[in-house]
Amino acid sequence: MGKDVIVACDFASAEATFAFLDKFTGKKPFVKIGMELYYAEGPSIVRQIKARGHKIFLDLKLHDIPNTVKKAMSVLRNLDVDITNLHAAGTTAMMRAAIEGLTRPDGTRPLLIAVTQLTSTDQESMERDLLIHEPIDQVVMHYAETARNAGLDGVVCSPLEAGKVHERCGASFLTITPGVRFADGDIGDQKRVMTPAAAKAIGSDYIVVGRPITAAPDPVAAYERCVAEFVD
Ligand code: C5P
């Protein structure tokens, strides 16, 4: 695992998702399934994409009391995904419970990744709405360290934060980074973006790329361009 392009399949239906994946003849991109597709289609969408031979990052961002998250994770572990995630804001007790729930009787489990502060949260909204007054980059690093100490495998973060996360939490602590755009592409609603090549140089382990691939005139060519810049 590591150093791969994860395609964010932010589609509203199985039909639209398969129409997209069918374009990749012979290739099996790592797929991210988020809340929209999962809530529309349920666990069968995970089983179907897995049966087609794709690795899966199930991006459901769990956040609840430890017992509830543990039970939810013990259901998700049967879906055989490769990566799943939760909010570090659920605290150490919740993250430890999540690992317990996610671990199968044979000791294996999917990688478990923490969301620190969402990239849609800025200093002002964090202070106003969450009453957190530390600088946001320190909050992100603190959440990353808390996740590592709870036994998680990595964090979702901006590619701009990936280098610092590795410095603080170790080279093997994974950084999964959305907010990736081609140098000549539209940035859309992402605020802080980086090219696949720059994300590679800064040490991201996985990049999550949605619209630059899904909305491209030739999605397969766009995917291959990402792989060429980030992996090869
Ligand atoms: O289309 P785009 O490349 O912006 O898609 C990025 C994907 O990564 C989306 O699925 C988005 O929800 C997700 N994401 C993000 N920023 C975060 C966490 C997840 O863009 N902080």
Side-chain angles (χ1 to χ4, degrees), residues 8 10 32 61 119 156 178 181 190 208-212:
D10 293 323
K32 180 171 90 72
K61 299 187 179 72
T119 46
V156 179
R181 291 293 180 267
Q190 294 283 11
V208 174
V209 189
R211 289 160 292 179

Side-chain angles (χ1 to χ4, degrees), residues 9-222:
C9 285
D10 293 323
F11 298 108
S13 69
E15 199 186 358
T17 306
F18 292 133
F20 170 74
L21 292 177
D22 283 345
K23 298 180 201 285
F24 292 82
T25 48
K27 286 179 213 75
K28 301 288 178 190
F30 204 131
V31 165
K32 180 171 90 72
I33 299 173
M35 291 186 205
E36 182 187 14
L37 184 57
Y38 188 80
Y39 292 148
E41 298 289 349
S44 78
I45 189 69
V46 178
R47 295 194 188 95
Q48 289 179 73
I49 295 177
K50 194 80 198 176
R52 286 171 164 236
H54 297 268
K55 287 184 179 165
I56 294 177
F57 171 18
L58 186 58
D59 178 19
L60 299 181
K61 299 187 179 72
L62 275 69
H63 187 176
D64 208 317
I65 60 171
N67 186 54
T68 300
V69 169
K70 179 178 172 179
K71 287 182 176 170
M73 288 293 185
S74 71
V75 175
L76 295 182
R77 78 184 186 203
N78 297 324
L79 287 178
D80 196 26
V81 299
D82 299 279
I83 304 177
T84 191
N85 64 356
L86 49 65
H87 276 281
T91 77
T92 299
M94 188 201 79
M95 291 191 271
R96 290 197 171 135
I99 292 177
E100 270 182 49
L102 200 58
T103 304
R104 304 182 187 101
D106 67 0
T108 63
R109 63 167 173 81
L111 293 173
L112 186 58
I113 301 295
V115 174
T116 57
Q117 282 293 344
L118 291 169
T119 46
S120 51
T121 304
D122 59 12
Q123 186 73 36
E124 190 195 335
S125 55
M126 191 180 69
E127 290 189 12
R128 188 190 57 231
D129 296 345
L130 308 179
L131 289 182
I132 298 172
H133 296 284
E134 306 297 323
I136 194 160
D137 54 336
Q138 284 181 33
V139 175
V140 167
M141 291 307 144
H142 177 68
Y143 282 25
E145 282 184 316
T146 306
R148 185 206 52 196
N149 293 341
L152 270 71
D153 303 295
V155 286
V156 179
C157 63
S158 149
L160 298 151
E161 293 156 355
K164 250 192 202 158
V165 168
H166 281 140
E167 264 170 42
R168 288 277 285 265
C169 299
S172 62
F173 192 66
L174 299 171
T175 53
I176 302 190
T177 63
V180 173
R181 291 293 180 267
F182 293 121
D184 52 2
D186 251 0
I187 75 164
D189 58 354
Q190 294 283 11
K191 301 255 185 302
R192 299 190 303 145
V193 300
M194 209 181 248
T195 64
K200 178 183 184 175
I202 213 165
S204 291
D205 295 290
Y206 295 90
I207 51 172
V208 174
V209 189
R211 289 160 292 179
I213 294 175
T214 56
D218 183 345
V220 177

